Amino acid sequence: MSAPLYNAEILRLAASIPHHERLPEPMATAERRSPICGSRVTIDVSVDDAGRVSEVGLLVRACALGQASSSLLAANILGRTPAELAVARDAVTAWLAREGDAPEWPGMDIFTPALDYTARHPSIRLAFEAATEAAETAAKAKV
């Protein structure tokens, strides 16, 4: 028997997104939207002199899976470089496509039941895609 797609942990994460308010003056902002379900994630970031994410703010209008993924991203993004975020984004994408191992990002194994639901993959990727773009843009602006 497989685990349910929407379980108590997914719903807990969806209801407790850290940094769930937009930044008043971000260095960069990126938004991603899933054309399949309409889920949308907007991420504001600022980076420090070393190019690491120092502040983050999110606006999440997504399904429970998109919210839960955003929650895991937000809980672990501070101090990360754009390169580290790109590695995480690519690992999440490959894993969901069954082309790689589970990503090393904390908590992502909660999405194992979603592997068979390809229509749900875009919403799980949204936060990682937006965060990577915003961090890369902010780091370039810092140079």
Side-chain angles (χ1 to χ4, degrees):
M1 179 176 216
S2 63
L5 183 57
Y6 296 99
N7 56 50
E9 184 64 11
I10 291 280
L11 298 176
R12 183 194 67 75
L13 286 168
S16 61
I17 301 171
H19 310 287
H20 65 279
E21 294 186 14
R22 303 280 309 268
L23 295 179
E25 295 183 32
M27 294 176 70
T29 298
E31 180 178 277
R32 286 290 183 276
R33 182 182 169 278
S34 170
I36 295 173
C37 66
S39 289
R40 181 174 296 160
V41 175
T42 305
I43 298 185
D44 300 322
V45 300
S46 292
V47 297
D48 62 18
D49 290 338
R52 295 184 177 280
V53 174
S54 58
E55 293 182 290
V56 65
L58 287 81
L59 175 62
V60 180
R61 301 290 183 250
C63 65
L65 295 174
Q67 290 176 40
S69 179
S70 295
S71 185
L72 289 175
L73 178 278
N76 297 284
I77 191 173
L78 295 179
R80 303 281 183 146
T81 66
E84 290 170 328
L85 293 172
V87 166
R89 176 203 58 208
D90 294 347
V92 168
T93 300
W95 177 61
L96 289 171
R98 295 184 183 265
E99 296 172 354
D101 296 329
E104 293 187 21
W105 198 270
M108 289 302 290
D109 59 330
I110 192 74
F111 296 108
T112 300
L115 291 174
D116 292 330
Y117 297 89
T118 56
R120 301 293 184 234
H121 294 179
S123 63
I124 296 169
R125 295 191 317 256
L126 291 176
F128 287 88
E129 292 170 354
T132 300
E133 179 185 334
E136 287 173 345
T137 300
K140 286 177 186 172
K142 195 77 167 159
V143 176

